[in-house]
Amino acid sequence: MESGKPAGVPCVQLLPDMRCAIFGKPERPAVCRSLRPTQAMCGAGREDALTYLAELERLTAV
Ligand code: SF4
């Protein structure tokens, strides 16, 4: 997103099925390409991962 992704706002590239519309394409932001998932991020499954993401959103909200 041109000015960065504000907390609480879905990325414009996020598809309805939660996939990235530009995955594997050169225009995908470097921060996305460089992200390496960790056990702490993913937890035991989707619910843990969404909880982790929600906490990141809370911590970065302005
Ligand atoms: S990987 Fe990056 S560009 Fe793709 S949907 Fe997620 S935040 Fe957006």
Side-chain angles (χ1 to χ4, degrees):
M1 296 168 74
E2 205 165 290
S3 302
K5 190 195 86 52
V9 177
C11 176
V12 295
Q13 302 297 346
L14 187 63
L15 295 169
D17 64 1
M18 307 303 279
R19 292 181 303 123
C20 174
I22 56 173
F23 189 86
K25 297 183 178 174
E27 60 267 34
R28 190 169 174 235
V31 66
C32 301
R33 290 194 310 268
S34 66
L35 180 69
R36 296 293 176 262
T38 65
Q39 182 64 47
M41 295 168 67
C42 299
R46 177 181 170 80
E47 288 306 313
D48 287 348
L50 290 175
T51 298
Y52 186 94
L53 283 173
E55 181 64 2
L56 288 180
E57 293 276 307
R58 187 188 69 77
L59 292 171
T60 58
V62 286

